Amino acid sequence: MHTHLLTLQGLHSENLAVDGLINSPERRVLRAAGFAQSYLDAGFTTIRDLGNSGYYLDREVSSAIGRGYIPGPRMICSGPIISAIDGQFYQLPFKDYDRITAAEYRVVKSVDDAILAVKEHVNHSAGVIKIASWGERLGLSKAETEAIVKTAHEYHLTVTAHANFDGVIRDAVLAGVDGVEHGYDISDSTLALMAKRKVYLVPTDVSIRQGIEMMKARNMPADSATVKAELQPLGDRLRRAQKAGVMIVGGSDAYIELSVTRGDYAKETIASYVEQGFSVKDALRTSTWNAAKALGQEGRTGVIKPGVAADIVIFNGDLEKTFRKYCSMYMQYLKTGRLFLKANNFF
Ligand SMILES: [Zn+2]
């Protein structure tokens, strides 16, 4: 429920802006076709793409998949992230800052402009509105966020907010957003508010294995005890969120260049929830039942019953008992079964 098919950030080029500067839209779209295939290979039949996609390149990939030009999962796309004037960029030359930011974000300058931004997204068939409640130095105002939510809801679109700090998350929830992405630093009172207002959380967390991969790629010493200790605060907020009754929705936020495919990376994220104490059933539910609910696709996907899209994966063994093992073996099985994997597009 949280990926970026059109973005690839190198581990040594820390600025998100770099990808769009060194790669043409054509190259980004072709690269995304490979990423899309990897999701199918890993068993993901619907994905939600949340921006950093240039000028609606996410929609270009999504419609190519929908028309059967390339294989891939169904895509729900946000189009450009709606943000304040800083976007999520930093360290850009002052004279080019606005131009570079505007190429990846829908920068909003007033309440009226915020309403127009949502209408542009409706016009370009966005399936969800993604906002950056706080970027690098600036955030959307309360009035702007409220206007975005009101307009999106009028057009039957939900709004999800990139928000990390407790105060920012709280303001976004009070302004009426439907979901919160990341939520790294979140208090129990904000979690209680989210539960009350039925706002879901997408914890874009990493497994111990992913953490080790990331540290290795940065030439940093990596052992599982160190990584485990570093992930502990995230696990703690995940367990607190579950306890508070907040609906947890799976999302990998995959955009960093690593030696694993996007699809495998997303499976690792589900494994991270198990590592942090979720039952296998609850972890799988984050990416099936809960994800469908968050998308407003209940009764169409995310559950096995008559009349629902038959997105079924088959395991040889006991998934609950040996979840970790199947997380990686699963891929091998699917690679030989690729021909059978073609999602029916209903978006
Ligand atoms: Zn993201």
Side-chain angles (χ1 to χ4, degrees):
M1 283 285 278
H2 186 138
T3 188
H4 302 277
L5 247 57
L6 278 303
T7 298
L8 180 66
Q9 183 186 327
L11 274 164
H12 300 288
S13 59
E14 287 184 0
N15 198 320
L16 251 185
V18 173
D19 190 53
L21 293 174
I22 63 172
N23 292 299
S24 66
E26 292 83 355
R27 191 187 293 165
R28 292 172 77 184
V29 165
L30 289 167
R31 191 180 61 192
F35 293 158
Q37 174 76 66
S38 86
Y39 278 106
L40 274 191
D41 287 349
F44 292 94
T45 48
T46 304
I47 58 171
R48 190 175 69 160
D49 197 292
L50 292 184
N52 290 104
S53 310
Y55 190 73
Y56 296 99
L57 297 180
D58 49 351
R59 290 284 305 121
E60 297 289 0
V61 176
S62 158
S63 62
I65 291 170
R67 292 173 194 198
Y69 300 159
I70 55 168
R74 303 179 197 98
M75 283 178 74
I76 289 92
C77 305
S78 71
I81 299 168
I82 299 178
S83 75
I85 57 171
D86 60 340
Q88 291 170 299
F89 289 165
Y90 51 92
Q91 290 175 341
L92 297 176
F94 292 128
K95 78 175 172 57
D96 296 321
Y97 199 109
D98 293 347
R99 180 180 60 80
I100 295 170
T101 306
E104 295 290 328
Y105 293 86
R106 175 55 171 88
V107 168
V108 148
K109 296 184 176 173
S110 67
V111 168
D112 284 346
D113 195 28
I115 294 168
L116 180 62
V118 174
K119 288 183 178 174
E120 285 168 12
H121 281 20
V122 171
N123 193 34
H124 288 82
S125 304
V128 63
I129 299 296
K130 161 90 176 289
I131 61 171
S133 286
W134 191 262
E136 280 298 317
R137 290 158 296 274
L138 295 161
L140 293 167
S141 72
K142 185 169 179 272
E144 285 163 349
T145 309
E146 282 170 350
I148 289 166
V149 169
K150 186 172 178 284
T151 312
H153 287 177
E154 277 168 14
Y155 289 97
H156 308 290
L157 288 178
T158 57
V159 179
T160 197
H162 164 100
N164 285 320
F165 309 115
D166 192 49
V168 174
I169 300 167
R170 198 176 177 80
D171 287 349
V173 171
L174 289 171
V177 300
D178 304 280
V180 168
E181 308 296 312
H182 319 300
Y184 294 130
D185 168 30
I186 188 166
S187 67
D188 285 337
S189 63
T190 303
L191 285 169
L193 185 70
M194 284 173 70
K196 196 174 150 209
R197 296 194 164 212
K198 296 195 170 18
V199 176
Y200 61 83
L201 175 67
V202 181
T204 51
D205 296 354
V206 297
S207 67
I208 295 169
R209 197 187 284 171
Q210 276 169 307
I212 291 173
E213 276 289 314
M214 282 173 167
M215 289 177 84
K216 270 204 270 180
R218 291 194 169 105
N219 293 322
M220 286 159 80
D223 63 273
S224 56
T226 313
V227 172
K228 202 173 170 187
E230 280 189 14
L231 293 176
Q232 211 245 312
L234 286 187
D236 172 60
R237 77 96 166 66
L238 185 66
R239 291 185 291 273
R240 285 190 292 114
Q242 193 186 36
K243 205 171 148 206
V246 172
M247 184 167 81
I248 307 295
V249 179
S252 62
D253 199 14
Y255 63 89
I256 294 171
E257 189 169 19
L258 289 174
S259 58
V260 290
T261 69
R262 293 289 172 105
D264 288 343
Y265 192 92
K267 280 194 302 186
E268 282 291 326
T269 302
I270 300 175
S272 82
Y273 302 150
V274 176
E275 281 177 2
Q276 296 298 346
F278 274 35
S279 67
V280 168
K281 198 167 145 189
D282 284 347
L284 289 175
R285 203 171 263 179
T286 65
S287 302
T288 53
W289 177 255
N290 293 359
K293 246 176 124 172
L295 286 172
Q297 294 291 341
E298 293 152 287
R300 300 181 79 181
T301 183
V303 67
I304 300 172
K305 69 173 190 185
V308 177
D311 297 349
I312 299 170
V313 294
I314 297 167
F315 296 86
N316 180 18
D318 189 329
L319 188 62
E320 294 216 339
K321 280 193 190 132
T322 50
F323 182 70
R324 205 63 184 90
K325 185 173 143 208
Y326 283 101
C327 248
S328 45
M329 282 183 69
Y330 177 31
M331 176 187 73
Q332 298 306 322
Y333 163 71
L334 286 172
K335 279 207 167 133
T336 62
R338 178 176 287 185
L339 274 178
F340 300 104
L341 289 167
K342 165 97 176 58
N344 263 326
N345 237 286
F346 52 67
F347 294 114

